[in-house]
Amino acid sequence: MQITQSLHAAILVANLEQSEHFYGKIMGLSKVERSLKFPGAWYEIGNFQIHLIVTDKIVPDMVDSQKWGRNRHLAFSVTDLDAAKQQLISYNCPFQVSASGRPALFTQDPDGNIIELSQV
């Protein structure tokens, strides 16, 4: 087997409207068309997509509430970490600065899915 690229990550969400606001408005991702009939939305970053899939059962799985980066998460590069932090603050989004000291922070979507933002 030879894996050639990452295509998408599926994220379970309970409230599509809130999640679309988070990923589209707050995170600034571009929504793309999807032809599937079950509820959800797709967002694109370069050649990678995030697939929001609506479910009525979200199971919290945070194992370390003190250091969010030690939990399951998606990581994205940003051009300006301070601007990203100010965007999160302006929308009252929770966040944690990386405990490692590197230029990164962690936030959560409305369903508790953790997102890392790093300036590399």
Side-chain angles (χ1 to χ4, degrees), residues 8-11 13 15-17 19-21 23-24 30-36 38-44 49-54:
H8 72 267
I11 297 176
V13 301
N15 182 310
L16 186 58
E17 186 177 324
S19 296
E20 286 182 304
H21 176 75
Y23 288 97
S30 298
K31 189 173 180 181
V32 295
E33 292 295 317
R34 65 187 283 277
S35 60
L36 302 176
F38 60 88
W42 291 358
Y43 290 87
E44 195 164 63
Q49 291 184 347
I50 294 176
H51 292 183
L52 304 181
I53 299 174
V54 178

Side-chain angles (χ1 to χ4, degrees), residues 3-18:
I3 296 174
T4 59
Q5 70 178 354
S6 179
L7 299 175
H8 72 267
I11 297 176
L12 299 177
V13 301
N15 182 310
L16 186 58
E17 186 177 324
Q18 285 180 349

